[in-house]
Amino acid sequence: MVIVTMFSSTVMVTMFSSAVMVTKFSSAMRTILCLVFLRILYPVIALPYPPSPQAPNYLPGYPDEWAFTTRQQAEAATKVDYKEVMKDIVEVMTNSRDFWPADNGNYGPLFIRLTWHNTGSYRTSDGRGGADGARQRFEPERSWADNTNLDKARALLWPVKQKYGQGLSWGDLFVLAGNAAFESMGGPYFGFCGGRIDADDGSESVQLGPSPEQEVLMPCKVAGKCQEPLGANDIGLIYVNPEGHMGIPDPVATARHVREVFARMDMNDSETVALMGGGHSFGGTHGACPAGAGPSPREDPVNPWPGLCGSGKGYDAFTSGFEFAFTTHPTTFDVEYFKNLINFDWQVHVGPGGRFQWKPILNEGMDAPTAPANDGRYPRRYIGALTSDIALTKDEAYMKLVKLYASDQKLFNRTWSHVWYKLTTRDMGPRTRCSNDDAPPPQWFQYPLPDPPAQLADFEEVKQKLEEVLDDDTGEAIGMFTRLAWQCSSTFRSTDYLGGCNGARIRFSPQKDWAVNINVVSAIDTLEPIKEEFGDNLSWADLIILAGNTALEKAGGKSLKFCGGRTDATDGKGSEHLHPKITGKFSEPLVQLKDSMVQLKDSIGILSLTQREFAALNGAGYAVGDLRDCDGLFCRRNSFQTAVANSERPYSTTSNLSNIFFLTLLSERWDKYTIPDTGKQMYKARGKDQLMLPTDFLFLLDPELLAIVQDFAADNDLFLSVVASAWTKISNVDRFKGPTGNVCDQ
């Protein structure tokens, strides 16, 4: 069943069926024509690329050709006048094209749907989704049922993209299209944060599904009942089934799922109702007959979604399968949507597209409210509603907000403008990543940090104090300091640029309460006298990173360059979804280790590290990690044995950074082992008291990881070099300066 979301404003059919006649050709010829057409004649749509094994590439300091390209894009973006872009978009909006006629002569509602369906895929669980990358151009997103006919919206915007070239990314253009549409139709405009960098393929959407990786990482056993970490409750939807939960037109049950799914996008009740009301101020839905939209781009990339109702466009268009206008003024931003929900009683019926939809119950003598026809040659359109709309009237909290917005246009305008900015910007990270100076000031959902100290401490003096602590120590401080710095930095997510050690939120809940951070407070307490000595000139964030650097060097690592100037957060907000995904606890049966490998590589990518960099840091944690009351990767593995007095420990407290992890991993045979007193699952060397975490054991099972293990086992200097570069990278990755820049690169 083809279902789309609430922003089902304008449906479209292919502009190419008359231009490229392939139905009479052989299958092979169709394939050839398809490839030529998509790659040469129609640059807006690209064929799906195979998933890339690399870490996500939206990273500062990426040492490859891609990084050079993205920096060129970011530099070019600074020269684009986004206000001029919006003017050009408005011109496109009111220039109806024969290949896909504009409803009521205005593509604005279509562009709003395009923006929503690019940005609304964002989810808090892992930071994936959103418009950054513009991955809706690629599989799997471009063939989602919810994105039916949005290929035509992208085609309409191609002249604007072509005009501005590399400086205007598709991601920025998709967001600006919605902004321009709202503003031109009377909606409030809060602002724009530019600097989205386009992806080369859809590999970073693979985990959104449907895909084998998604089934491993976040399976959905029953369509319509998908749970977190998935964003929607059905694969291929942006939000919920608008026909009703599980296709049943039950507004009460649907209201519960609306709240749950919008919460996965970090939206509260007032934001949810505002988003739905703002989106449904415009346009309508399209489902002229039950036949449907036709094959998706994945199924027929030459002639996708041709529409199987009559001409397939205009009056005959099919996008969602519903058929009605949301309000009587489909190109005007107002609060009629809310007033209609209040003023009418509604009854469910089956529309011409075969979907459950709702119509107002009319008293005797009352004329049915209608909107202008999409095309003047046809009758006016009746207004209607989706089950997800009616759900707002069946939930007490939602209904209060419906009444509030219906009675206060100014309040609704203010709420709408802010939540739309949040929706379109949530995946961009801190305000410092915006490319335009006129972007709005930092918003709460960007978790802004205070300015760094006006006068920074003398970091050489701080380092001397740290060295004194390490010199007076029996060896434990090296493990404490490196683990603290790693746990602080490894919260970073390259998917939405949250986390990292800048802010030192590890001092606050929820981070300090995570089981993986057990006993990090001991390291913080050890550093407290140094922090007090240097006062406000030394942030905790700088002290934690410098302590880790100094400890690694003390253990025999290469000299590390320190970049100061971090600042401290005043609370732990923004950490709720940043719990490290790699803590060494993969303990599935051997038959499921393949799935564990997918999880491991996915987590490495989110961290912004390559597999080689992660392997090096994992090896460092094994060699010099913490010695007691420890959890995570920066722990000596044998420290997980039953706790005994320091003098009785069956392992050395000497901290020497070397490739011992890789040598040990290759030289022993490993069996599954359970720590007797704690039940912790590990691997034990056959006939020896040497332990490895399940994560460590995975390095032997994957050919790419095994090759890295062998490289490091054969060359200790190579290992030390990669540790130094990877440690510096993860320590500085959150020091943003524009979309791709980093303050530490100077």
Side-chain angles (χ1 to χ4, degrees), residues 4-60:
V4 296
T5 65
M6 57 183 185
F7 285 3
S8 305
S9 53
T10 305
V11 287
M12 303 189 299
V13 292
T14 181
M15 61 188 281
F16 311 111
S17 57
S18 60
V20 181
M21 300 298 294
V22 297
T23 55
K24 296 181 179 180
F25 290 104
S26 67
S27 175
M29 182 58 72
R30 282 193 63 165
T31 300
I32 293 172
L33 288 173
C34 166
L35 292 170
V36 171
F37 182 78
L38 289 174
R39 302 301 294 185
I40 299 176
L41 301 179
Y42 188 27
V44 177
I45 302 176
L47 288 173
Y49 290 78
S52 168
Q54 299 184 70
N57 287 328
Y58 307 150
L59 311 170

Side-chain angles (χ1 to χ4, degrees), residues 486 582 600 604 607 609-619 633 695 699 705 722 726:
W486 166 256
I582 312 176
L600 175 63
I604 292 171
L607 265 176
L609 298 172
T610 65
Q611 294 176 18
R612 182 172 293 269
E613 290 168 335
F614 176 79
L617 293 176
N618 187 63
L633 303 183
T695 303
F699 279 83
L705 296 179
V722 178

Side-chain angles (χ1 to χ4, degrees), residues 32 84 87 110 167 199 292 367 386 443 513 629 669 672 711:
I32 293 172
E84 291 299 315
K87 290 180 182 179
L110 172 65
D367 292 330
L386 303 166
Q443 302 296 299
D513 305 317
D629 297 331
R669 299 184 66 183
K672 293 188 71 173
D711 285 347

Side-chain angles (χ1 to χ4, degrees), residues 366-540:
M366 182 184 295
D367 292 330
T370 60
N374 296 338
D375 186 318
R377 296 172 295 174
Y378 298 98
R380 293 175 66 86
R381 303 184 77 198
Y382 291 106
I383 70 164
L386 303 166
T387 302
S388 51
D389 297 317
I390 303 302
L392 300 183
T393 69
K394 304 301 181 182
D395 179 276
E396 183 178 356
Y398 282 159
M399 190 57 176
K400 287 181 179 179
L401 290 162
V402 168
K403 293 178 178 179
L404 182 63
Y405 293 148
S407 64
D408 193 334
Q409 178 82 55
K410 289 184 178 179
L411 173 64
F412 175 56
N413 286 357
R414 184 167 61 251
T415 305
W416 163 261
S417 63
H418 281 78
V419 71
W420 179 256
Y421 182 71
K422 176 183 175 182
L423 174 72
T424 57
T425 312
R426 189 68 171 82
D427 63 328
M428 288 288 285
R431 166 64 175 78
T432 51
R433 293 197 66 254
C434 299
S435 63
N436 51 318
D437 294 335
D438 62 350
Q443 302 296 299
W444 69 265
F445 63 85
Q446 295 169 312
Y447 308 110
L449 291 169
D451 291 334
Q455 180 66 45
L456 297 178
D458 185 328
F459 293 118
E460 285 301 319
E461 291 185 15
V462 177
K463 187 174 183 179
Q464 289 177 10
K465 297 295 182 181
L466 290 167
E467 289 172 341
E468 291 174 7
V469 173
L470 294 168
D471 288 338
D472 294 339
D473 182 68
T474 59
E476 293 192 8
I478 287 178
M480 291 168 57
F481 290 172
T482 53
R483 177 171 174 250
L484 174 62
W486 166 256
Q487 293 302 129
C488 190
S489 298
S490 62
T491 55
F492 179 75
R493 295 199 311 200
S494 63
T495 48
D496 59 359
Y497 310 99
L498 296 182
C501 199
N502 196 12
R505 292 185 173 94
I506 197 170
R507 298 168 297 136
F508 303 111
S509 295
Q511 289 194 34
K512 73 181 182 68
D513 305 317
W514 294 339
V516 73
N517 285 338
I518 183 175
N519 201 39
V520 295
V521 67
S522 296
I524 293 174
D525 290 344
T526 303
L527 294 173
E528 183 75 42
I530 298 177
K531 176 67 175 76
E532 290 180 356
E533 180 176 346
F534 289 90
D536 293 339
N537 293 341
L538 176 63
S539 67
W540 269 109

Side-chain angles (χ1 to χ4, degrees), residues 339-359:
K339 291 180 178 180
N340 288 343
L341 289 178
I342 297 169
N343 295 335
F344 292 110
D345 292 324
W346 297 83
Q347 67 181 23
V348 67
H349 70 108
V350 177
R355 304 281 191 266
F356 288 114
Q357 57 188 52
W358 297 71
K359 61 183 178 181

Side-chain angles (χ1 to χ4, degrees), residues 306-379:
L308 305 180
C309 305
S311 67
K313 59 184 178 181
Y315 186 79
D316 296 325
F318 188 106
T319 290
S320 63
F322 307 100
E323 181 61 47
F324 57 82
F326 285 109
T327 71
T328 60
H329 303 94
T331 58
T332 302
F333 185 85
D334 55 26
V335 293
E336 182 188 339
Y337 168 82
F338 298 116
K339 291 180 178 180
N340 288 343
L341 289 178
I342 297 169
N343 295 335
F344 292 110
D345 292 324
W346 297 83
Q347 67 181 23
V348 67
H349 70 108
V350 177
R355 304 281 191 266
F356 288 114
Q357 57 188 52
W358 297 71
K359 61 183 178 181
I361 298 175
L362 303 176
N363 295 326
E364 185 175 354
M366 182 184 295
D367 292 330
T370 60
N374 296 338
D375 186 318
R377 296 172 295 174
Y378 298 98

